[in-house]
Every structure is written in structure tokens, then in C-alpha cells.
Amino acid sequence: QTQSGRVFAIFFTLVAIGLAGYAISSSATILFETQQINREKRIFEKRMNQIAQLSNHIIVCGGSIIGNRAAGEFRRRGFSFVIIEPDEAKLKQALLWMHEAYVDKRMRHYDSLEDVDWSIEERMSIEELARDTGVLYMLEDPTEEQQLRAAAIHKAYGIVTVMEDDRDNTTIILSARDMANRLNNPGLRIVGSDADANSMHTLYLAGADRVVSPNIM
């Protein structure tokens, strides 16, 4: 009923409205983030279930240019495969080069210098690229045995290890050969890529059936 009381009521109302707006905004953000997390979890679980159901497939360890070419050839021939790559950028690049629209635009640009916009595909997420290409992937470290197990190595036909570090390739080959024997899949075919021709013998000793050195081919 007083001048000071009315001033207090005005400020109190403004503060209350601000707090209420902040609370609503925070609640909406938390709800959205929760829904997003649950959605990503469902997508992840669905993808891992698809990988777990694979049989007589090929595990490609590494999303480098060589891994991408190998995976692309398996895809062209209709072989089931899964890519395991710990680096998100490399994995995305591998999926991009198996995306038909992206490859077509790139080839048209190379052939005729045509001004083509491929930024649409480059802005896509890994999940969107995987959905468009139908490629199964794991954003994990293939040198860890649990990741090879998750990739259903016990039912796999073969494994191709094309990591850029030969030490990683050696580790994967050792783990794969040991796991194949322990998990009753002794016929697993292992092909390794070797950047240094001097260490090819080491990969054979580790248990590889075939070692390829792109640098000397």
C-alpha cells in the first residue's frame, strides 16, 4: 500500500518471473538431453545387437585409406563386415568414401573440375553416414580383446588389421589368433598390413595368414 512496498512488489515479481523462466528452461534442457541420451543409447544397442548377430563376417581393424578400400571391396562383393576404428575423424572419413552420393560428387569434380557441393555429406554425423551406407562400425580400440569379442570374432570368417602403427597390428594379430583358438574358431583367417617391410616376418610370427605391405606393392 506504500510507495516502497509497490517498488518491492515490482522487483519481487520480476525476480519471480525470471526464476520461473530459468527453471522452465533448465527443466526443458534436462528433458531434451535425457531424451537425446536415451535415443543414442537405443541406437548404440541396436547397432551392437546387429554386430553380435553377424556370422561368417570380416572384421576390419582401422579406418585408414587402406582399411576403407578393403571395406569398400567387401561391400561391393556383398560380404558382411564391421569396421573398428578408435579415431572419430578417421572413421567418418572411411564412411564418407563408402557413401555413394559423396563419392559420385568427388569423382565428377576430379573428372571434369565441375563445381560440386559435397559439404552436405561432410556435415553428416557418423551415425547418419552409417545409416545411409548400411555399414556397421565400432568407435573403439581394436587392440582391446573385449572389442574383438564384441565384434563376434568367435563367428567371424576373417580379420583384416590395417592400423597405421605396426605395433597395433601385431597386438591385434596376437589377440585375434589367441582368441580364435580359445573361442573355437581356429580357421579364422588373419590378414595384416605392414607399413615397414622389415617387420613383415614379425606379423607372420604373431599368427597372420597373409601380410601385405602397400609401400612395396
Side-chain angles (χ1 to χ4, degrees), residues 27 58 202:
S27 299
I58 300 169
T202 303

Side-chain angles (χ1 to χ4, degrees), residues 3 62 69-70 81 84 89 96 108 124 131 134 141 169 202-203:
Q3 182 70 21
R69 293 297 181 266
F81 67 92
I84 311 179
L96 271 172
R108 279 193 284 131
M124 295 173 69
R131 182 193 61 209
D141 186 355
N169 289 326
T202 303
L203 298 185

Side-chain angles (χ1 to χ4, degrees), residues 46-82:
K46 179 182 178 181
R47 175 162 44 83
M48 294 309 296
N49 286 334
Q50 289 177 314
I51 293 173
Q53 293 171 8
L54 289 175
S55 180
N56 205 35
H57 59 292
I58 300 169
I59 302 171
V60 180
C61 299
S64 63
I65 186 67
I66 304 171
N68 168 258
R69 293 297 181 266
E73 184 66 15
F74 296 143
R75 185 165 179 255
R76 187 180 71 83
R77 295 181 178 226
F79 293 150
S80 299
F81 67 92
V82 55

